[in-house]
PDB file of all heavy atoms in Angstrom:
ATOM      1  N   PHE A 135     -13.407  35.183  23.056  1.00 88.00           N
ATOM      2  CA  PHE A 135     -12.252  34.321  22.778  1.00 88.00           C
ATOM      3  C   PHE A 135     -11.345  34.362  24.002  1.00 88.00           C
ATOM      4  O   PHE A 135     -11.311  35.345  24.736  1.00 88.00           O
ATOM      5  CB  PHE A 135     -11.465  34.806  21.556  1.00 88.00           C
ATOM      6  CG  PHE A 135     -12.193  34.647  20.244  1.00 88.00           C
ATOM      7  CD1 PHE A 135     -12.352  35.710  19.378  1.00 88.00           C
ATOM      8  CD2 PHE A 135     -12.734  33.412  19.888  1.00 88.00           C
ATOM      9  CE1 PHE A 135     -13.024  35.561  18.164  1.00 88.00           C
ATOM     10  CE2 PHE A 135     -13.406  33.248  18.683  1.00 88.00           C
ATOM     11  CZ  PHE A 135     -13.555  34.335  17.818  1.00 88.00           C
ATOM     12  N   ASN A 173     -19.416  34.829  10.835  1.00 91.00           N
ATOM     13  CA  ASN A 173     -19.157  33.405  11.039  1.00 91.00           C
ATOM     14  C   ASN A 173     -20.281  32.760  11.849  1.00 91.00           C
ATOM     15  O   ASN A 173     -20.700  31.637  11.554  1.00 91.00           O
ATOM     16  CB  ASN A 173     -17.820  33.191  11.748  1.00 91.00           C
ATOM     17  CG  ASN A 173     -16.631  33.455  10.836  1.00 91.00           C
ATOM     18  OD1 ASN A 173     -16.770  33.415   9.611  1.00 91.00           O
ATOM     19  ND2 ASN A 173     -15.475  33.728  11.416  1.00 91.00           N
ATOM     20  N   LEU A 178     -20.382  28.957  10.828  1.00 89.00           N
ATOM     21  CA  LEU A 178     -18.967  28.564  10.815  1.00 89.00           C
ATOM     22  C   LEU A 178     -18.414  28.593  12.237  1.00 89.00           C
ATOM     23  O   LEU A 178     -17.432  27.951  12.548  1.00 89.00           O
ATOM     24  CB  LEU A 178     -18.140  29.511   9.935  1.00 89.00           C
ATOM     25  CG  LEU A 178     -18.492  29.576   8.448  1.00 89.00           C
ATOM     26  CD1 LEU A 178     -17.474  30.440   7.705  1.00 89.00           C
ATOM     27  CD2 LEU A 178     -18.531  28.201   7.829  1.00 89.00           C
ATOM     28  N   ASP A 179     -19.037  29.393  13.082  1.00 89.00           N
ATOM     29  CA  ASP A 179     -18.628  29.503  14.483  1.00 89.00           C
ATOM     30  C   ASP A 179     -19.902  29.503  15.341  1.00 89.00           C
ATOM     31  O   ASP A 179     -20.982  29.814  14.841  1.00 89.00           O
ATOM     32  CB  ASP A 179     -17.849  30.816  14.684  1.00 89.00           C
ATOM     33  CG  ASP A 179     -16.874  30.705  15.853  1.00 89.00           C
ATOM     34  OD1 ASP A 179     -16.964  29.712  16.606  1.00 89.00           O
ATOM     35  OD2 ASP A 179     -16.027  31.608  15.999  1.00 89.00           O
ATOM     36  N   SER A 202     -23.565  21.442   8.213  1.00 91.00           N
ATOM     37  CA  SER A 202     -22.841  21.426   6.928  1.00 91.00           C
ATOM     38  C   SER A 202     -23.830  21.383   5.768  1.00 91.00           C
ATOM     39  O   SER A 202     -23.664  22.109   4.779  1.00 91.00           O
ATOM     40  CB  SER A 202     -21.928  20.206   6.852  1.00 91.00           C
ATOM     41  OG  SER A 202     -20.927  20.283   7.824  1.00 91.00           O
ATOM     42  N   GLN A 205     -25.394  24.698   5.339  1.00 92.00           N
ATOM     43  CA  GLN A 205     -24.480  25.658   4.715  1.00 92.00           C
ATOM     44  C   GLN A 205     -24.382  25.425   3.203  1.00 92.00           C
ATOM     45  O   GLN A 205     -24.429  26.369   2.423  1.00 92.00           O
ATOM     46  CB  GLN A 205     -23.076  25.538   5.330  1.00 92.00           C
ATOM     47  CG  GLN A 205     -22.987  26.121   6.719  1.00 92.00           C
ATOM     48  CD  GLN A 205     -21.752  25.674   7.474  1.00 92.00           C
ATOM     49  OE1 GLN A 205     -21.068  24.748   7.066  1.00 92.00           O
ATOM     50  NE2 GLN A 205     -21.495  26.327   8.594  1.00 92.00           N
ATOM     51  N   ARG A 206     -24.255  24.178   2.814  1.00 92.00           N
ATOM     52  CA  ARG A 206     -24.056  23.912   1.387  1.00 92.00           C
ATOM     53  C   ARG A 206     -25.304  24.252   0.568  1.00 92.00           C
ATOM     54  O   ARG A 206     -25.208  24.641  -0.568  1.00 92.00           O
ATOM     55  CB  ARG A 206     -23.620  22.465   1.154  1.00 92.00           C
ATOM     56  CG  ARG A 206     -24.734  21.440   1.214  1.00 92.00           C
ATOM     57  CD  ARG A 206     -24.334  20.136   0.578  1.00 92.00           C
ATOM     58  NE  ARG A 206     -23.172  19.538   1.215  1.00 92.00           N
ATOM     59  CZ  ARG A 206     -22.810  18.279   1.039  1.00 92.00           C
ATOM     60  NH1 ARG A 206     -23.498  17.487   0.260  1.00 92.00           N
ATOM     61  NH2 ARG A 206     -21.749  17.797   1.637  1.00 92.00           N
ATOM     62  N   PHE A 211     -20.663  31.827   0.716  1.00 91.00           N
ATOM     63  CA  PHE A 211     -19.669  32.649   1.436  1.00 91.00           C
ATOM     64  C   PHE A 211     -18.705  33.306   0.473  1.00 91.00           C
ATOM     65  O   PHE A 211     -18.256  32.686  -0.495  1.00 91.00           O
ATOM     66  CB  PHE A 211     -18.838  31.767   2.380  1.00 91.00           C
ATOM     67  CG  PHE A 211     -19.532  31.427   3.676  1.00 91.00           C
ATOM     68  CD1 PHE A 211     -20.188  30.226   3.830  1.00 91.00           C
ATOM     69  CD2 PHE A 211     -19.506  32.319   4.737  1.00 91.00           C
ATOM     70  CE1 PHE A 211     -20.815  29.900   5.015  1.00 91.00           C
ATOM     71  CE2 PHE A 211     -20.130  32.004   5.927  1.00 91.00           C
ATOM     72  CZ  PHE A 211     -20.791  30.785   6.073  1.00 91.00           C
ATOM     73  N   PHE A 213     -15.055  35.407   1.050  1.00 86.00           N
ATOM     74  CA  PHE A 213     -14.104  35.829   2.086  1.00 86.00           C
ATOM     75  C   PHE A 213     -13.242  36.979   1.569  1.00 86.00           C
ATOM     76  O   PHE A 213     -13.182  37.230   0.368  1.00 86.00           O
ATOM     77  CB  PHE A 213     -13.214  34.655   2.489  1.00 86.00           C
ATOM     78  CG  PHE A 213     -13.993  33.474   3.009  1.00 86.00           C
ATOM     79  CD1 PHE A 213     -14.383  32.439   2.161  1.00 86.00           C
ATOM     80  CD2 PHE A 213     -14.347  33.400   4.340  1.00 86.00           C
ATOM     81  CE1 PHE A 213     -15.097  31.361   2.636  1.00 86.00           C
ATOM     82  CE2 PHE A 213     -15.065  32.314   4.829  1.00 86.00           C
ATOM     83  CZ  PHE A 213     -15.444  31.294   3.969  1.00 86.00           C
ATOM     84  N   ASN A 217     -10.173  32.834  -1.177  1.00 84.00           N
ATOM     85  CA  ASN A 217     -10.299  31.452  -0.705  1.00 84.00           C
ATOM     86  C   ASN A 217     -10.839  30.483  -1.753  1.00 84.00           C
ATOM     87  O   ASN A 217     -11.715  29.673  -1.484  1.00 84.00           O
ATOM     88  CB  ASN A 217     -11.179  31.387   0.552  1.00 84.00           C
ATOM     89  CG  ASN A 217     -10.378  31.708   1.802  1.00 84.00           C
ATOM     90  OD1 ASN A 217      -9.147  31.768   1.742  1.00 84.00           O
ATOM     91  ND2 ASN A 217     -11.038  31.912   2.912  1.00 84.00           N
ATOM     92  N   LEU A 218     -10.253  30.596  -2.936  1.00 92.00           N
ATOM     93  CA  LEU A 218     -10.590  29.599  -3.960  1.00 92.00           C
ATOM     94  C   LEU A 218      -9.784  28.339  -3.663  1.00 92.00           C
ATOM     95  O   LEU A 218      -8.705  28.412  -3.068  1.00 92.00           O
ATOM     96  CB  LEU A 218     -10.229  30.132  -5.348  1.00 92.00           C
ATOM     97  CG  LEU A 218     -11.029  31.348  -5.835  1.00 92.00           C
ATOM     98  CD1 LEU A 218     -10.500  31.824  -7.178  1.00 92.00           C
ATOM     99  CD2 LEU A 218     -12.508  31.019  -5.935  1.00 92.00           C
ATOM    100  N   LEU A 219     -10.308  27.200  -4.091  1.00 92.00           N
ATOM    101  CA  LEU A 219      -9.557  25.950  -3.906  1.00 92.00           C
ATOM    102  C   LEU A 219      -8.410  25.956  -4.910  1.00 92.00           C
ATOM    103  O   LEU A 219      -8.641  25.958  -6.132  1.00 92.00           O
ATOM    104  CB  LEU A 219     -10.482  24.756  -4.116  1.00 92.00           C
ATOM    105  CG  LEU A 219     -11.578  24.629  -3.045  1.00 92.00           C
ATOM    106  CD1 LEU A 219     -12.690  23.710  -3.502  1.00 92.00           C
ATOM    107  CD2 LEU A 219     -10.994  24.150  -1.733  1.00 92.00           C
ATOM    108  N   SER A 220      -7.187  25.984  -4.398  1.00 90.00           N
ATOM    109  CA  SER A 220      -6.030  26.260  -5.255  1.00 90.00           C
ATOM    110  C   SER A 220      -5.743  25.147  -6.263  1.00 90.00           C
ATOM    111  O   SER A 220      -5.080  25.374  -7.257  1.00 90.00           O
ATOM    112  CB  SER A 220      -4.796  26.486  -4.376  1.00 90.00           C
ATOM    113  OG  SER A 220      -4.520  25.306  -3.655  1.00 90.00           O
ATOM    114  N   TYR A 221      -6.239  23.929  -5.983  1.00 90.00           N
ATOM    115  CA  TYR A 221      -5.917  22.825  -6.901  1.00 90.00           C
ATOM    116  C   TYR A 221      -7.039  22.568  -7.917  1.00 90.00           C
ATOM    117  O   TYR A 221      -7.009  21.576  -8.631  1.00 90.00           O
ATOM    118  CB  TYR A 221      -5.589  21.548  -6.125  1.00 90.00           C
ATOM    119  CG  TYR A 221      -6.655  21.143  -5.136  1.00 90.00           C
ATOM    120  CD1 TYR A 221      -7.675  20.287  -5.516  1.00 90.00           C
ATOM    121  CD2 TYR A 221      -6.638  21.617  -3.836  1.00 90.00           C
ATOM    122  CE1 TYR A 221      -8.659  19.917  -4.624  1.00 90.00           C
ATOM    123  CE2 TYR A 221      -7.621  21.263  -2.935  1.00 90.00           C
ATOM    124  CZ  TYR A 221      -8.624  20.408  -3.341  1.00 90.00           C
ATOM    125  OH  TYR A 221      -9.599  20.048  -2.451  1.00 90.00           O
ATOM    126  N   GLU A 226     -13.905  24.361 -12.198  1.00 95.00           N
ATOM    127  CA  GLU A 226     -14.103  23.347 -11.146  1.00 95.00           C
ATOM    128  C   GLU A 226     -14.491  23.984  -9.811  1.00 95.00           C
ATOM    129  O   GLU A 226     -15.286  23.431  -9.061  1.00 95.00           O
ATOM    130  CB  GLU A 226     -12.824  22.511 -10.989  1.00 95.00           C
ATOM    131  CG  GLU A 226     -12.573  21.581 -12.169  1.00 95.00           C
ATOM    132  CD  GLU A 226     -11.131  21.122 -12.293  1.00 95.00           C
ATOM    133  OE1 GLU A 226     -10.243  21.689 -11.604  1.00 95.00           O
ATOM    134  OE2 GLU A 226     -10.877  20.215 -13.092  1.00 95.00           O
ATOM    135  N   PHE A 230     -18.216  23.263  -8.075  1.00 94.00           N
ATOM    136  CA  PHE A 230     -18.131  22.477  -6.836  1.00 94.00           C
ATOM    137  C   PHE A 230     -19.437  22.499  -6.017  1.00 94.00           C
ATOM    138  O   PHE A 230     -19.991  21.443  -5.690  1.00 94.00           O
ATOM    139  CB  PHE A 230     -16.948  22.977  -5.997  1.00 94.00           C
ATOM    140  CG  PHE A 230     -16.455  21.976  -5.000  1.00 94.00           C
ATOM    141  CD1 PHE A 230     -15.375  21.151  -5.281  1.00 94.00           C
ATOM    142  CD2 PHE A 230     -17.077  21.838  -3.767  1.00 94.00           C
ATOM    143  CE1 PHE A 230     -14.923  20.215  -4.361  1.00 94.00           C
ATOM    144  CE2 PHE A 230     -16.635  20.907  -2.847  1.00 94.00           C
ATOM    145  CZ  PHE A 230     -15.558  20.092  -3.143  1.00 94.00           C
ATOM    146  N   VAL A 233     -22.204  20.463  -7.623  1.00 94.00           N
ATOM    147  CA  VAL A 233     -22.073  19.004  -7.446  1.00 94.00           C
ATOM    148  C   VAL A 233     -22.535  18.635  -6.037  1.00 94.00           C
ATOM    149  O   VAL A 233     -23.282  17.675  -5.852  1.00 94.00           O
ATOM    150  CB  VAL A 233     -20.620  18.539  -7.690  1.00 94.00           C
ATOM    151  CG1 VAL A 233     -20.505  17.022  -7.493  1.00 94.00           C
ATOM    152  CG2 VAL A 233     -20.152  18.912  -9.076  1.00 94.00           C
TER     153      VAL A 233
ATOM    154  N   PHE B 171     -17.044  11.505  -7.311  1.00 90.00           N
ATOM    155  CA  PHE B 171     -16.715  12.931  -7.285  1.00 90.00           C
ATOM    156  C   PHE B 171     -15.548  13.179  -6.322  1.00 90.00           C
ATOM    157  O   PHE B 171     -14.578  13.872  -6.666  1.00 90.00           O
ATOM    158  CB  PHE B 171     -17.951  13.736  -6.864  1.00 90.00           C
ATOM    159  CG  PHE B 171     -17.651  15.181  -6.557  1.00 90.00           C
ATOM    160  CD1 PHE B 171     -17.305  16.060  -7.566  1.00 90.00           C
ATOM    161  CD2 PHE B 171     -17.695  15.654  -5.245  1.00 90.00           C
ATOM    162  CE1 PHE B 171     -17.021  17.384  -7.281  1.00 90.00           C
ATOM    163  CE2 PHE B 171     -17.419  16.978  -4.955  1.00 90.00           C
ATOM    164  CZ  PHE B 171     -17.079  17.846  -5.981  1.00 90.00           C
ATOM    165  N   PHE B 179      -6.325  16.857  -6.598  1.00 89.00           N
ATOM    166  CA  PHE B 179      -5.523  17.406  -5.500  1.00 89.00           C
ATOM    167  C   PHE B 179      -4.093  16.854  -5.571  1.00 89.00           C
ATOM    168  O   PHE B 179      -3.120  17.595  -5.450  1.00 89.00           O
ATOM    169  CB  PHE B 179      -6.179  17.027  -4.165  1.00 89.00           C
ATOM    170  CG  PHE B 179      -5.552  17.659  -2.972  1.00 89.00           C
ATOM    171  CD1 PHE B 179      -5.968  18.905  -2.547  1.00 89.00           C
ATOM    172  CD2 PHE B 179      -4.554  17.017  -2.272  1.00 89.00           C
ATOM    173  CE1 PHE B 179      -5.385  19.502  -1.441  1.00 89.00           C
ATOM    174  CE2 PHE B 179      -3.967  17.602  -1.172  1.00 89.00           C
ATOM    175  CZ  PHE B 179      -4.382  18.853  -0.751  1.00 89.00           C
ATOM    176  N   ARG B 182      -2.207  17.980  -8.883  1.00 87.00           N
ATOM    177  CA  ARG B 182      -1.838  19.402  -8.924  1.00 87.00           C
ATOM    178  C   ARG B 182      -0.967  19.822  -7.741  1.00 87.00           C
ATOM    179  O   ARG B 182      -0.505  20.951  -7.685  1.00 87.00           O
ATOM    180  CB  ARG B 182      -3.097  20.258  -9.053  1.00 87.00           C
ATOM    181  CG  ARG B 182      -3.697  20.085 -10.452  1.00 87.00           C
ATOM    182  CD  ARG B 182      -5.057  20.671 -10.592  1.00 87.00           C
ATOM    183  NE  ARG B 182      -5.617  20.358 -11.907  1.00 87.00           N
ATOM    184  CZ  ARG B 182      -6.887  20.559 -12.245  1.00 87.00           C
ATOM    185  NH1 ARG B 182      -7.728  21.078 -11.384  1.00 87.00           N
ATOM    186  NH2 ARG B 182      -7.323  20.228 -13.441  1.00 87.00           N
ATOM    187  N   ARG B 440      -5.865  24.878   4.713  1.00 86.00           N
ATOM    188  CA  ARG B 440      -6.697  25.971   4.218  1.00 86.00           C
ATOM    189  C   ARG B 440      -7.768  25.437   3.271  1.00 86.00           C
ATOM    190  O   ARG B 440      -8.931  25.834   3.349  1.00 86.00           O
ATOM    191  CB  ARG B 440      -5.783  26.974   3.498  1.00 86.00           C
ATOM    192  CG  ARG B 440      -6.495  28.056   2.747  1.00 86.00           C
ATOM    193  CD  ARG B 440      -5.489  28.911   1.960  1.00 86.00           C
ATOM    194  NE  ARG B 440      -6.183  29.771   1.018  1.00 86.00           N
ATOM    195  CZ  ARG B 440      -6.554  29.397  -0.188  1.00 86.00           C
ATOM    196  NH1 ARG B 440      -6.312  28.165  -0.597  1.00 86.00           N
ATOM    197  NH2 ARG B 440      -7.155  30.246  -0.997  1.00 86.00           N
ATOM    198  N   GLU B 441      -7.332  24.514   2.393  1.00 88.00           N
ATOM    199  CA  GLU B 441      -8.271  23.957   1.409  1.00 88.00           C
ATOM    200  C   GLU B 441      -9.418  23.233   2.127  1.00 88.00           C
ATOM    201  O   GLU B 441     -10.571  23.347   1.736  1.00 88.00           O
ATOM    202  CB  GLU B 441      -7.547  22.956   0.480  1.00 88.00           C
ATOM    203  CG  GLU B 441      -6.245  23.469  -0.123  1.00 88.00           C
ATOM    204  CD  GLU B 441      -6.462  24.465  -1.252  1.00 88.00           C
ATOM    205  OE1 GLU B 441      -7.516  24.384  -1.908  1.00 88.00           O
ATOM    206  OE2 GLU B 441      -5.590  25.334  -1.457  1.00 88.00           O
ATOM    207  N   ILE B 444     -11.811  25.720   3.603  1.00 91.00           N
ATOM    208  CA  ILE B 444     -12.726  26.270   2.588  1.00 91.00           C
ATOM    209  C   ILE B 444     -13.834  25.255   2.293  1.00 91.00           C
ATOM    210  O   ILE B 444     -15.014  25.606   2.214  1.00 91.00           O
ATOM    211  CB  ILE B 444     -11.956  26.613   1.287  1.00 91.00           C
ATOM    212  CG1 ILE B 444     -10.892  27.678   1.564  1.00 91.00           C
ATOM    213  CG2 ILE B 444     -12.905  27.061   0.195  1.00 91.00           C
ATOM    214  CD1 ILE B 444      -9.875  27.839   0.448  1.00 91.00           C
ATOM    215  N   LEU B 445     -13.418  24.002   2.155  1.00 92.00           N
ATOM    216  CA  LEU B 445     -14.412  22.950   1.871  1.00 92.00           C
ATOM    217  C   LEU B 445     -15.458  22.892   2.979  1.00 92.00           C
ATOM    218  O   LEU B 445     -16.653  22.777   2.717  1.00 92.00           O
ATOM    219  CB  LEU B 445     -13.722  21.587   1.734  1.00 92.00           C
ATOM    220  CG  LEU B 445     -12.858  21.382   0.480  1.00 92.00           C
ATOM    221  CD1 LEU B 445     -12.164  20.026   0.526  1.00 92.00           C
ATOM    222  CD2 LEU B 445     -13.704  21.469  -0.781  1.00 92.00           C
ATOM    223  N   LYS B 446     -14.988  22.964   4.212  1.00 90.00           N
ATOM    224  CA  LYS B 446     -15.934  22.906   5.339  1.00 90.00           C
ATOM    225  C   LYS B 446     -16.890  24.101   5.298  1.00 90.00           C
ATOM    226  O   LYS B 446     -18.077  23.959   5.561  1.00 90.00           O
ATOM    227  CB  LYS B 446     -15.174  22.890   6.682  1.00 90.00           C
ATOM    228  CG  LYS B 446     -14.432  21.580   6.918  1.00 90.00           C
ATOM    229  CD  LYS B 446     -13.791  21.544   8.268  1.00 90.00           C
ATOM    230  CE  LYS B 446     -14.696  20.883   9.259  1.00 90.00           C
ATOM    231  NZ  LYS B 446     -14.078  20.613  10.545  1.00 90.00           N
ATOM    232  N   ALA B 447     -16.333  25.272   4.974  1.00 90.00           N
ATOM    233  CA  ALA B 447     -17.180  26.462   4.900  1.00 90.00           C
ATOM    234  C   ALA B 447     -18.217  26.341   3.792  1.00 90.00           C
ATOM    235  O   ALA B 447     -19.279  26.956   3.855  1.00 90.00           O
ATOM    236  CB  ALA B 447     -16.308  27.696   4.665  1.00 90.00           C
ATOM    237  N   MET B 448     -17.913  25.542   2.784  1.00 91.00           N
ATOM    238  CA  MET B 448     -18.851  25.347   1.675  1.00 91.00           C
ATOM    239  C   MET B 448     -19.894  24.279   2.001  1.00 91.00           C
ATOM    240  O   MET B 448     -20.744  23.978   1.158  1.00 91.00           O
ATOM    241  CB  MET B 448     -18.097  24.964   0.408  1.00 91.00           C
ATOM    242  CG  MET B 448     -17.322  26.125  -0.191  1.00 91.00           C
ATOM    243  SD  MET B 448     -16.176  25.571  -1.451  1.00 91.00           S
ATOM    244  CE  MET B 448     -17.292  25.134  -2.735  1.00 91.00           C
ATOM    245  N   GLY B 449     -19.758  23.683   3.186  1.00 91.00           N
ATOM    246  CA  GLY B 449     -20.764  22.707   3.595  1.00 91.00           C
ATOM    247  C   GLY B 449     -20.369  21.264   3.372  1.00 91.00           C
ATOM    248  O   GLY B 449     -21.227  20.390   3.293  1.00 91.00           O
ATOM    249  N   GLU B 454     -17.472  13.423   4.464  1.00 92.00           N
ATOM    250  CA  GLU B 454     -16.950  13.692   3.117  1.00 92.00           C
ATOM    251  C   GLU B 454     -15.488  14.133   3.184  1.00 92.00           C
ATOM    252  O   GLU B 454     -14.686  13.760   2.323  1.00 92.00           O
ATOM    253  CB  GLU B 454     -17.807  14.763   2.432  1.00 92.00           C
ATOM    254  CG  GLU B 454     -19.158  14.229   1.994  1.00 92.00           C
ATOM    255  CD  GLU B 454     -20.143  15.320   1.574  1.00 92.00           C
ATOM    256  OE1 GLU B 454     -19.991  16.475   2.025  1.00 92.00           O
ATOM    257  OE2 GLU B 454     -21.071  15.014   0.826  1.00 92.00           O
ATOM    258  N   ARG B 543     -12.799  23.862  13.571  1.00 83.00           N
ATOM    259  CA  ARG B 543     -13.872  24.593  12.903  1.00 83.00           C
ATOM    260  C   ARG B 543     -13.279  25.317  11.698  1.00 83.00           C
ATOM    261  O   ARG B 543     -12.141  25.783  11.750  1.00 83.00           O
ATOM    262  CB  ARG B 543     -14.486  25.615  13.853  1.00 83.00           C
ATOM    263  CG  ARG B 543     -15.353  24.979  14.895  1.00 83.00           C
ATOM    264  CD  ARG B 543     -15.995  26.066  15.716  1.00 83.00           C
ATOM    265  NE  ARG B 543     -16.543  25.514  16.938  1.00 83.00           N
ATOM    266  CZ  ARG B 543     -16.833  26.219  18.005  1.00 83.00           C
ATOM    267  NH1 ARG B 543     -16.609  27.504  18.011  1.00 83.00           N
ATOM    268  NH2 ARG B 543     -17.328  25.657  19.069  1.00 83.00           N
ATOM    269  N   SER B 544     -14.117  25.464  10.665  1.00 81.00           N
ATOM    270  CA  SER B 544     -13.607  26.108   9.447  1.00 81.00           C
ATOM    271  C   SER B 544     -13.177  27.541   9.739  1.00 81.00           C
ATOM    272  O   SER B 544     -12.176  28.015   9.188  1.00 81.00           O
ATOM    273  CB  SER B 544     -14.658  26.066   8.348  1.00 81.00           C
ATOM    274  OG  SER B 544     -15.866  26.577   8.832  1.00 81.00           O
ATOM    275  N   CYS B 545     -13.898  28.227  10.661  1.00 80.00           N
ATOM    276  CA  CYS B 545     -13.521  29.623  10.945  1.00 80.00           C
ATOM    277  C   CYS B 545     -12.147  29.679  11.618  1.00 80.00           C
ATOM    278  O   CYS B 545     -11.352  30.585  11.352  1.00 80.00           O
ATOM    279  CB  CYS B 545     -14.573  30.297  11.801  1.00 80.00           C
ATOM    280  SG  CYS B 545     -14.798  29.546  13.407  1.00 80.00           S
ATOM    281  N   LEU B 548      -9.592  29.022   8.830  1.00 76.00           N
ATOM    282  CA  LEU B 548      -9.444  30.175   7.935  1.00 76.00           C
ATOM    283  C   LEU B 548      -8.856  31.382   8.655  1.00 76.00           C
ATOM    284  O   LEU B 548      -8.159  32.193   8.054  1.00 76.00           O
ATOM    285  CB  LEU B 548     -10.794  30.535   7.304  1.00 76.00           C
ATOM    286  CG  LEU B 548     -11.358  29.429   6.386  1.00 76.00           C
ATOM    287  CD1 LEU B 548     -12.758  29.775   5.930  1.00 76.00           C
ATOM    288  CD2 LEU B 548     -10.458  29.203   5.181  1.00 76.00           C
ATOM    289  N   ARG B 549      -9.108  31.479   9.968  1.00 71.00           N
ATOM    290  CA  ARG B 549      -8.553  32.583  10.746  1.00 71.00           C
ATOM    291  C   ARG B 549      -7.046  32.403  10.947  1.00 71.00           C
ATOM    292  O   ARG B 549      -6.290  33.361  10.986  1.00 71.00           O
ATOM    293  CB  ARG B 549      -9.243  32.642  12.122  1.00 71.00           C
ATOM    294  CG  ARG B 549      -9.011  33.941  12.867  1.00 71.00           C
ATOM    295  CD  ARG B 549      -9.634  33.899  14.259  1.00 71.00           C
ATOM    296  NE  ARG B 549     -11.087  33.807  14.204  1.00 71.00           N
ATOM    297  CZ  ARG B 549     -11.816  32.908  14.871  1.00 71.00           C
ATOM    298  NH1 ARG B 549     -11.236  32.002  15.622  1.00 71.00           N
ATOM    299  NH2 ARG B 549     -13.122  32.905  14.782  1.00 71.00           N
TER     300      ARG B 549
END
Side-chain angles (χ1 to χ4, degrees):
Chain A
F135 291 127
N173 287 339
L178 298 186
D179 207 349
S202 295
Q205 286 164 347
R206 79 163 59 165
F211 281 98
F213 301 93
N217 277 349
L218 294 176
L219 293 163
S220 63
Y221 54 91
E226 289 160 348
F230 201 96
V233 180
Chain B
F171 169 70
F179 187 88
R182 289 169 185 169
R440 171 186 168 275
E441 311 285 333
I444 298 166
L445 290 176
K446 290 184 94 171
M448 288 168 71
E454 286 168 336
R543 286 184 195 161
S544 52
C545 62
L548 296 173
R549 195 184 295 129

